[in-house]
Amino acid sequence: MKRFCFIIATALLLAACGPGVDPEEPGQPDTPELPSDLPDEPDPDPVLQFASIWEDLFKGETTSAACKVSGAAPGKSYAIRYSSSNSSVADVSREGKVTAKAPGKATITATLDGTDVSVSRDYFVTDLSQLGQAYSRDRAFVTGHTIYYKAVMQSWDFFDNYFYVCQVCGSPHTLSFTRKPLLQQSPQAYMHLKYYGHGDNIFVERASDGDYLWTPNYGTLEEGATNRYADSQVLSRIKFAEGMTFLPENSNFNCVIPGMKRMAASYDADNGNVGIWCRDSGGKAWFYVFSMQDIKAAKPESVKLSFSRTYGTPAVTDTPTIQARDLSKLTPVFKFRMPFNYVPQGYDYHHNKIYFMRGDGAEEEERVAGTNKNWARVYYISPQTGKTLVEKDLPWVDDIALLKSEGITDLGYLEPEGIKLKDGIIYLGFASKDSGKSPERRINIFKYQQ
């Protein structure tokens, strides 16, 4: 009887499932049918980028602002439209050729037709003729600030909040770096680098873990001098550390160009390139431009310096072997002979142009003897040709009565020391000092807006 009932129940269950239909597994939903009219996948968003480097221009000069498109769908092409925010300053053609017409700033914008994809870049047209204008108090950026050591500043750099100034001072010879608020006298912090050199030019690299000084290193005592060093054969990158004193061998990031000395560097940050002014054994001046990325990627190796150095008290002479990146093994962006061999009173390599400063300040006894005067001259140099495009003198730096009346110096001494370009503004630095035995050495920075 039990067997009969089981057979009947099984038959009823199979009948409920229907002929040829398997029972559904529990928990499995029905699979929906896909519609046949789904839209096509959208094209990927194209990316528009400038194919050329950042450049400053002078009147009449041309450059390319041509852009390239990447990331577009296969077989898809786009037309690019170019426009200028101020065509009276810099005009742009349909092909992206920019022509400088007048001093100022123009924003060049490239747009992909039929899209909202665009990219823009500011172009500054530089005019050194404004440096020949009369003194204006409105151009003062930093004046009256003093630095402690009784030595004038040699070079400097600044950011939005900090100003760094380098002095040659101390015994033994030391490059002393002061860090201070940009527009305030205090507080000030110091770092000292012994026997590094003359500090002809420095730049400061702002990194996520702090600020790094790029400074000459491994200087040598000048012939006939007792405490004056120059002809540094090494360019070093050193993290600013308040209160620290370093010797040359304390630097663990060094760069050399064998056969070159008096290394002085500048940074074209927008283009990611480092410019290096230096001299060969015959005193001829050269200019190299390297990619910052290439410099940092180069492997340090044991390098014997090209020239002997004399340093210390008592003085000793050696030709050391150090760990350094040999930049001669890299491919430079540019390399050329400078149009003159003058030592810079500061220079800046910015937006693919070189702004070079020369000059001198008159000591009190020289003025009394009528044998010297303050003077300053700025040169505008093209790294493509190695030629001077423009040069201009500043007329007011020798006006003693003016300098005294403005409280810049009561001695009349005003020595050009440093030049920087930032956002189309030329910043010119001058060291000044007071008469007598006052320890005060002043920072004076003047700006010339395009």
Side-chain angles (χ1 to χ4, degrees):
M1 184 65 181
K2 290 181 179 179
R3 183 179 178 185
F4 175 77
C5 292
F6 175 78
I7 293 172
I8 295 297
T10 302
L12 291 172
L13 178 62
L14 292 174
C17 292
V21 179
D22 295 330
E24 292 183 1
E25 294 183 10
Q28 296 295 320
D30 293 338
T31 302
E33 294 185 6
L34 295 175
S36 59
D37 58 346
L38 283 177
D40 295 334
E41 287 288 330
D43 289 341
D45 291 332
V47 177
L48 187 60
Q49 294 175 307
F50 284 98
S52 55
I53 62 175
W54 291 76
E55 281 198 275
D56 285 344
L57 303 171
F58 67 97
K59 184 177 179 180
E61 190 178 14
T62 63
T63 191
S64 174
C67 289
K68 59 183 180 181
V69 182
S70 61
K76 184 81 171 181
S77 62
Y78 293 90
I80 303 175
R81 291 183 290 106
Y82 295 94
S83 62
S84 171
S85 65
N86 192 341
S87 58
S88 63
V89 170
D91 199 6
V92 62
S93 70
R94 293 182 178 180
E95 296 77 25
K97 179 181 177 181
V98 179
T99 302
K101 293 189 171 182
K105 181 182 82 170
T107 302
I108 303 300
T109 300
T111 305
L112 294 183
D113 265 344
T115 76
D116 58 0
V117 177
S118 65
V119 63
S120 297
R121 176 179 289 178
D122 291 336
Y123 284 81
F124 295 97
V125 181
T126 305
D127 178 18
L128 292 192
S129 66
Q130 62 179 314
L131 302 183
Q133 297 173 1
Y135 174 86
S136 170
R137 189 174 298 174
D138 294 337
R139 294 195 180 101
F141 180 61
V142 175
T143 58
H145 292 190
T146 57
I147 37 186
Y148 176 77
Y149 297 100
K150 192 176 180 181
V152 299
M153 69 178 183
Q154 294 294 325
S155 50
W156 49 273
D157 201 356
F158 72 89
F159 296 97
D160 294 335
N161 51 349
Y162 280 123
F163 184 86
Y164 287 86
V165 57
C166 173
Q167 295 171 271
V168 175
C169 55
S171 182
H173 172 98
T174 302
L175 290 185
S176 288
F177 284 86
T178 299
R179 182 183 69 186
K180 62 178 288 298
L182 183 61
L183 299 177
Q184 296 174 210
Q185 170 70 25
S186 298
Q188 297 186 7
Y190 305 95
M191 184 178 186
H192 311 291
L193 309 177
K194 290 186 177 181
Y195 311 126
Y196 272 58
H198 197 66
D200 296 307
N201 208 73
I202 62 139
F203 74 84
V204 180
E205 175 197 356
R206 175 144 288 182
S208 59
D209 62 338
D211 290 346
Y212 286 82
L213 311 171
W214 287 72
T215 179
N217 193 359
Y218 283 87
T220 187
L221 189 64
E222 291 187 356
E223 186 175 354
T226 58
N227 197 34
R228 181 181 173 92
Y229 285 69
D231 286 346
S232 303
Q233 298 181 61
V234 177
L235 176 64
S236 293
R237 177 183 186 260
I238 298 170
K239 185 177 181 179
F240 182 85
E242 181 179 354
M244 293 296 293
T245 297
F246 277 15
L247 294 172
E249 56 267 26
N250 294 135
S251 170
N252 58 16
F253 190 111
N254 302 310
C255 303
V256 298
I257 303 176
M260 296 294 173
K261 53 188 175 180
R262 198 138 192 170
M263 306 271 280
S266 182
Y267 186 31
D268 185 356
D270 285 329
N271 288 318
N273 292 331
V274 177
I276 301 174
W277 180 95
C278 50
R279 274 177 162 178
D280 61 23
S281 59
K284 296 176 181 176
W286 293 81
F287 200 86
Y288 291 78
V289 176
F290 296 100
S291 159
M292 174 71 89
Q293 183 176 351
D294 288 350
I295 292 176
K296 290 186 174 181
K299 293 182 178 180
E301 57 186 277
S302 293
V303 178
K304 186 173 183 178
L305 298 187
S306 301
F307 310 97
S308 64
R309 62 165 182 163
T310 300
Y311 72 103
T313 305
V316 297
T317 299
D318 66 4
T319 307
T321 296
I322 67 171
Q323 288 293 305
R325 292 159 167 82
D326 184 349
L327 302 188
S328 69
K329 296 182 178 180
L330 304 181
T331 301
V333 179
F334 293 107
K335 172 190 173 182
F336 62 91
R337 274 283 313 277
M338 286 286 290
F340 40 70
N341 298 321
Y342 309 125
V343 174
Q345 291 297 108
Y347 81 88
D348 199 14
Y349 176 60
H350 177 77
H351 284 183
N352 205 36
K353 289 293 188 298
I354 300 168
Y355 300 81
F356 192 97
M357 195 175 191
R358 292 181 61 218
D360 201 1
E363 299 288 352
E364 187 173 22
E365 59 271 20
E366 294 171 323
R367 283 194 176 278
V368 171
T371 59
N372 203 3
K373 64 178 183 177
N374 298 334
W375 66 280
R377 182 175 300 155
V378 176
Y379 301 79
Y380 187 53
I381 300 168
S382 167
Q384 287 94 333
T385 64
K387 295 181 179 179
T388 299
L389 303 175
V390 186
E391 61 180 88
K392 197 68 182 177
D393 289 323
L394 278 75
W396 54 269
V397 297
D398 194 41
D399 189 336
I400 302 174
L402 172 67
L403 299 178
K404 289 183 178 181
S405 68
E406 290 294 311
I408 296 172
T409 171
D410 66 4
L411 173 64
Y413 178 96
L414 191 74
E415 183 177 3
E417 297 285 9
I419 179 171
K420 298 292 180 184
L421 271 288
K422 294 179 185 289
D423 296 327
I425 301 174
I426 301 175
Y427 293 87
L428 301 178
F430 293 88
S432 64
K433 55 188 178 182
D434 293 338
S435 59
K437 297 182 179 180
S438 167
E440 292 187 345
R441 301 293 182 261
R442 300 186 182 277
I443 301 169
N444 305 282
I445 310 291
F446 300 92
K447 60 182 181 179
Y448 286 78
Q449 180 82 44
Q450 299 302 319

